[in-house]
Amino acid sequence: ITLLCLIGPALSSYSFDQQDLAYGAQGPSAEHWFGTDDLGRDLMVRILVGGQISIGVGFAATLIALIIGVSYGAFAGYRGGATEAALMRFVDAVYALPFTMMVIILTVTFDKKSIFLIFMAIGAVEWLTMARIVRGQTRALRKQTFVDAAIVSGAKESHILLRHILPNLLGPVIVYTTLTIPAVILLESILSFLGLGVQPPMSSWGILISDGAEKIDIYPWMLFFPALFFSLTIFALNFMGDGLRDALDPKESK
């Protein structure tokens, strides 16, 4: 689906915002495989372009959460003591803030709605769970003998974190990352559904599902096809995450 979203719009003879009221709200046909919306725009192209945005937000926001969360959690878990307590209390405080309220505040502050704001809003929340997971794993690794040996040999803290701690965190981090991407895509779709995400004339799966839900009684294909692409992508990413979790779990190894 990701590859189709990337190359599909370029191969189509229609653009995502090309309107033709003469073909408004037509069902699937040989010319328009997924039908058209009420403005005569090809629904398949809009779904593929919307997939670029939804999947792009998922990967970009997850990357932000990965960088911040791993760095923050590893530092807090390795330092321990008062430093760890202060850093994790900040995480708890940010956790207490409602996600939707944070998005509204960012939108009002910057006086515009853009994909960049979505990256900031989602990345500002998703890294918190990553930091907690990495912090717990780092505390366990810090008690291992190979870390004690590195400390005794005079290795610097940065060297221990980069060469000894982070490589041993790779398994849990990869698994959580694959499970975070569908969660972020779902969050972006919810924001767009509520009108706080991507704005027209751009499209995302959340906007298309929202539009289709309003017209499901008259034009059911406007909801069915975006929901189908959205559901298949979420299922595929979750299944991949479950598979990686089982593959990288030492208890499952024979």
Side-chain angles (χ1 to χ4, degrees), residues 42-102:
D42 187 83
L43 188 58
M44 185 180 70
V45 176
R46 289 185 61 78
I47 290 174
L48 297 181
V49 173
Q52 292 179 1
I53 295 176
S54 294
I55 296 174
V57 169
F59 278 92
T62 300
L63 180 61
I64 295 173
L66 179 67
I67 294 173
I68 299 176
V70 170
S71 303
Y72 193 97
F75 180 77
Y78 182 80
R79 274 299 181 91
T83 301
E84 178 188 9
L87 292 175
M88 298 315 296
R89 293 300 77 76
F90 172 75
V91 170
D92 294 337
V94 178
Y95 247 123
L97 298 176
F99 173 73
T100 305
M101 184 61 66
M102 292 180 63

Side-chain angles (χ1 to χ4, degrees), residues 21-45:
L21 297 179
Y23 292 92
Q26 290 191 354
S29 63
E31 186 176 1
H32 300 282
W33 292 0
F34 293 172
T36 61
D37 61 11
D38 49 353
L39 296 178
R41 296 174 294 190
D42 187 83
L43 188 58
M44 185 180 70
V45 176

Side-chain angles (χ1 to χ4, degrees), residues 1-2 5 50-60 181 185 188 205 233:
I1 292 177
T2 302
C5 290
Q52 292 179 1
I53 295 176
S54 294
I55 296 174
V57 169
F59 278 92
I181 294 173
I185 294 175
E188 184 278 327
W205 286 339
T233 302

Side-chain angles (χ1 to χ4, degrees), residues 207-244:
I207 290 178
L208 295 174
I209 292 174
S210 176
D211 293 342
E214 295 178 356
K215 306 176 180 68
I216 185 173
D217 294 334
I218 307 174
Y219 316 124
W221 65 86
M222 292 179 60
L223 175 63
F224 174 77
F225 290 109
L228 177 63
F229 271 70
F230 176 78
S231 300
L232 290 176
T233 302
I234 296 299
F235 277 131
L237 290 170
N238 276 296
F239 288 153
M240 183 177 69
D242 290 340
L244 286 173

Side-chain angles (χ1 to χ4, degrees), residues 36-248:
T36 61
D37 61 11
D38 49 353
L39 296 178
R41 296 174 294 190
D42 187 83
L43 188 58
M44 185 180 70
V45 176
R46 289 185 61 78
I47 290 174
L48 297 181
V49 173
Q52 292 179 1
I53 295 176
S54 294
I55 296 174
V57 169
F59 278 92
T62 300
L63 180 61
I64 295 173
L66 179 67
I67 294 173
I68 299 176
V70 170
S71 303
Y72 193 97
F75 180 77
Y78 182 80
R79 274 299 181 91
T83 301
E84 178 188 9
L87 292 175
M88 298 315 296
R89 293 300 77 76
F90 172 75
V91 170
D92 294 337
V94 178
Y95 247 123
L97 298 176
F99 173 73
T100 305
M101 184 61 66
M102 292 180 63
V103 176
I104 294 175
I105 292 173
L106 286 171
T107 303
V108 173
T109 301
F110 289 90
D111 195 30
K112 62 180 180 179
K113 301 173 183 177
S114 65
I115 298 179
F116 177 72
L117 284 180
I118 299 175
F119 291 162
M120 290 180 58
I122 298 179
V125 174
E126 288 299 324
W127 72 269
L128 301 173
T129 304
M130 179 73 76
R132 283 184 166 182
I133 293 174
V134 171
R135 171 246 187 179
Q137 295 291 326
T138 302
R139 290 190 64 181
L141 290 172
R142 193 179 184 279
K143 299 177 182 179
Q144 300 297 318
T145 55
F146 64 86
V147 175
D148 293 334
I151 295 174
V152 172
S153 65
K156 295 182 180 180
E157 182 178 285
S158 58
H159 176 83
I160 296 174
L161 285 172
L162 293 175
R163 296 294 302 273
H164 299 284
I165 300 295
L166 292 182
N168 286 282
L169 294 173
L170 191 60
V173 167
I174 290 176
V175 172
Y176 184 73
T177 299
T178 58
L179 295 175
T180 301
I181 294 173
V184 171
I185 294 175
L186 183 61
L187 283 176
E188 184 278 327
S189 299
I190 292 173
L191 289 177
S192 297
F193 187 90
L194 296 175
L196 298 174
V198 178
Q199 300 300 301
M202 296 299 295
S203 67
S204 72
W205 286 339
I207 290 178
L208 295 174
I209 292 174
S210 176
D211 293 342
E214 295 178 356
K215 306 176 180 68
I216 185 173
D217 294 334
I218 307 174
Y219 316 124
W221 65 86
M222 292 179 60
L223 175 63
F224 174 77
F225 290 109
L228 177 63
F229 271 70
F230 176 78
S231 300
L232 290 176
T233 302
I234 296 299
F235 277 131
L237 290 170
N238 276 296
F239 288 153
M240 183 177 69
D242 290 340
L244 286 173
R245 180 191 60 195
D246 295 339
L248 297 174

